[in-house]
Amino acid sequence: MSGIAGLTGAGGSTGKSGLARTNGSTAHRASGASRDLARVLTVVVIGSIMAVLDVTIVNVALHPLAVVFDAPLATVQWVATGYTLALAAVIPAAAWAMSRFGAKRTYLTAITLFTTGSGLAALSWNIETLVLFRIVQGLGGGLLVPVGMAMVIRAADRKRMGRAMALLGIPVLIGPVSGPILGGWLVDTASWHWIFLVNLPVGALALALAARLLRQDEPQPVRRLDLLGLLTLSPGLALLIYGLSTGGERGDLSTPQSLLPTVAGLLLTIAFVARGLAARAPLLRLRLLRNRSFAAGFSAMVLFPAGYFGSMLLAPMYYQTARGLGATESGLLGVPLAVAVGVSMQIATRRVDRVSPRLMVLSGIVIAACGLSLFAVQVGPETPYWRLVAALLVTGVGVGMVMMPANTTATRELAAEDVPSGSTLLNIGSQVGVSIGTALLSVVLASNAARTGDGPRSAPAFQHTYWWAVTLLALAALPAALLPGRRADAAPASAPTTTPRPPDPA
């Protein structure tokens, strides 16, 4: 008996010791994963803040740039358009670049391109060189977001995805609020050069931190570049966005300057989809759209940004043309909305791990649509501004419950090797959605203004156009209804965090 008792006691002691070692090892791994995630988030958030600030600052400075370079505003608009087209052209290559060179090298390249483009833009001697250097910036900016998102998704485990993506949404809070104010101040008190020079210290900091904090990941050189796919999707997206933007600016999508590039871009994109479904090693893994959660999140992130960002184009125009406010005053009226979006996004994205994603996103769509409807009802020549701002505050709360939570839910269950393609597809969908929304609402506004006879000062024209934006927001509820109804922390403990799949052929 004593022998049995001794074996039992020895066995129990060994078991406790082994359990302690196991728990210690698990805690050590968890601590290491947390540190890795913190490092990635630090680098990516700084890089994203730089990119978001740049876009909002430059948009404010377009008119001063037209004066400085003695160029028509339509030509100066290419400072923004050239950046956007370069962004759209390079995004499709992000997934391949991450696989071929590694995410860290690709991200370092993106920061270098963006920062170098900023420095060169500050040295521009005419409008043509400024547009050229903005294209260099756009090549870097197009890689920053999908590569940064992919690194965060890889570093975060399933149950911490919401909190990680909430931190990734910090630039959305900072950029739209501080960008217009900072841009106006730099132009008024310093010179136009500083709207680009301000990126240099931030870019240098981001580059140093990325080199030091990011882990070196192993590239996968066996994966060949789908050159035919790249040569159809990149120019296809650029032509599509250019055609839609041109149609929006002219208020008519049927002109040859708009229709021809739009149709050409659409045909090239369709050719890419056909190629991607048939190719053994496509540029982007379109089969991810067979996954219900990813397809639902992707579709929602095409429709919802179309309505939201399209409506954001209308607000400054309404304030300045129908109400007679200046650019600074109209910009300040937009600050409460940006704050509401940022704060709501932080709360909602952290909570999406603990609640039903479907309920979260659908509720946000309903709130955003109700808020924008309230704004549309009140659009008029004499409506008190506090009532308009209050309506947009409601809209902002809803927007924050949709944008990043939908992205988080769409990417949560992706296999590690699918993350680059997934983040790239989501960014492409959002870019196309924004372009479609802004072009559509611009054309609708121009048509309504011409019909009322009051031109761009017509409040009824704005009111009617806002209902189109509300409709786009509401349509996003259809795919959002297909998002998972179960919260992340309710998944079985044995559930895998990634979906296994056979390797792609070389």
Side-chain angles (χ1 to χ4, degrees):
M1 291 289 294
S2 60
I4 295 175
L7 289 172
T8 304
S13 175
T14 302
K16 291 178 182 177
S17 175
L19 181 60
R21 285 195 298 272
T22 300
N23 289 340
S25 175
T26 302
H28 179 73
R29 286 196 300 271
S31 175
S34 296
R35 285 195 299 271
D36 286 345
L37 178 58
R39 290 168 179 165
V40 171
L41 280 168
T42 299
V43 172
V44 173
V45 167
I46 291 174
S48 299
I49 288 174
M50 176 178 65
V52 173
L53 274 176
D54 177 81
V55 171
T56 53
I57 288 173
V58 171
N59 286 343
V60 171
L62 291 179
H63 180 69
L65 288 172
V67 174
V68 168
F69 290 108
D70 191 23
L73 193 57
T75 301
V76 176
Q77 186 66 37
W78 274 94
V79 173
T81 303
Y83 178 91
T84 302
L85 295 182
L87 192 96
V90 78
I91 284 177
W96 172 81
M98 280 184 273
S99 297
R100 178 63 179 83
F101 304 107
K104 178 176 180 177
R105 291 191 183 93
T106 305
Y107 199 76
L108 288 171
T109 301
I111 297 174
T112 301
L113 281 171
F114 191 92
T115 308
T116 301
S118 298
L120 292 173
L123 300 176
S124 300
W125 54 91
N126 56 33
I127 193 63
E128 290 79 13
T129 53
L130 179 56
V131 171
L132 175 62
F133 297 143
R134 281 286 287 169
I135 290 173
V136 175
Q137 265 191 295
L139 295 176
L143 293 173
L144 278 175
V145 176
V147 177
M149 182 184 291
M151 292 192 298
V152 171
I153 294 170
R154 281 176 169 176
D157 59 42
R158 177 188 177 115
K159 293 185 178 180
R160 292 186 299 171
M161 186 74 76
R163 281 167 286 178
M165 296 293 273
L167 293 172
L168 192 58
I170 288 177
V172 178
L173 172 61
I174 296 176
V177 175
S178 57
I181 299 172
L182 178 60
W185 179 76
L186 288 172
V187 171
D188 291 340
T189 62
S191 72
W192 69 269
H193 303 84
W194 282 96
I195 65 176
F196 301 109
L197 291 174
V198 72
N199 291 327
L200 300 188
V202 183
L205 175 63
L207 194 61
L209 289 176
R212 180 176 179 82
L213 298 181
L214 296 180
R215 287 183 178 271
Q216 191 70 48
D217 54 330
E218 290 298 324
Q220 302 171 16
V222 296
R223 185 182 175 192
R224 298 192 186 100
L225 174 63
D226 179 13
L227 188 59
L228 183 57
L230 184 64
L231 292 177
T232 51
L233 184 57
S234 288
L237 285 176
L239 285 168
L240 180 61
I241 291 174
Y242 171 74
L244 291 171
S245 300
T246 302
E249 292 170 6
R250 296 171 180 266
D252 187 357
L253 289 170
S254 63
T255 62
Q257 295 89 338
S258 171
L259 187 60
L260 292 178
T262 300
V263 171
L266 189 59
L267 290 175
L268 284 172
T269 304
I270 292 173
F272 165 77
V273 172
R275 157 79 181 177
L277 293 175
R280 298 181 62 195
L283 181 69
L284 295 174
R285 293 166 180 163
L286 298 179
R287 63 169 185 78
L288 295 179
L289 293 170
R290 298 175 185 169
N291 179 287
R292 174 173 162 171
S293 295
F294 184 82
F298 175 85
S299 301
M301 288 308 296
V302 173
L303 291 168
F304 193 85
Y308 171 59
F309 287 103
S311 71
M312 292 306 97
L313 168 76
L314 299 176
M317 295 173 63
Y318 162 66
Y319 287 135
Q320 293 174 41
T321 59
R323 303 299 296 269
L325 297 182
T328 302
E329 293 171 308
S330 63
L332 289 173
L333 285 173
V335 169
L337 169 66
V339 172
V341 172
V343 173
S344 173
M345 183 179 294
Q346 288 297 305
I347 297 172
T349 312
R350 291 170 186 270
R351 293 292 302 167
V352 77
D353 292 332
R354 301 182 178 91
V355 301
S356 163
R358 182 193 305 155
L359 180 61
M360 169 77 77
V361 175
L362 280 175
S363 299
I365 292 172
V366 171
I367 293 172
C370 287
L372 199 58
S373 297
L374 185 60
F375 186 91
V377 167
Q378 300 182 93
V379 165
E382 298 179 354
T383 308
Y385 292 114
W386 70 266
R387 286 167 53 183
L388 295 171
V389 170
L392 289 183
L393 280 172
V394 176
T395 304
V397 171
V399 171
M401 296 171 64
V402 175
M403 302 283 282
M404 199 60 77
N407 270 315
T408 303
T409 305
T411 56
R412 190 190 303 279
E413 297 180 2
L414 293 182
E417 60 270 26
D418 287 334
V419 166
S421 283
S423 63
T424 302
L425 282 170
L426 286 171
N427 277 277
I428 289 173
S430 295
Q431 284 289 328
V432 172
V434 170
S435 299
I436 291 173
T438 53
L440 175 62
L441 295 185
S442 296
V443 170
V444 171
L445 177 62
S447 174
N448 288 327
R451 187 166 57 249
T452 60
D454 292 333
R457 293 177 296 176
S458 171
F462 280 98
Q463 186 176 59
H464 184 273
T465 306
Y466 266 107
W467 289 116
W468 283 73
V470 171
T471 301
L472 289 172
L473 293 182
L475 286 174
L478 298 177
L482 300 177
L483 290 170
R486 184 174 60 180
R487 64 185 190 270
D489 59 5
S494 59
T497 58
T498 59
T499 305
R501 65 171 198 84
D504 280 336

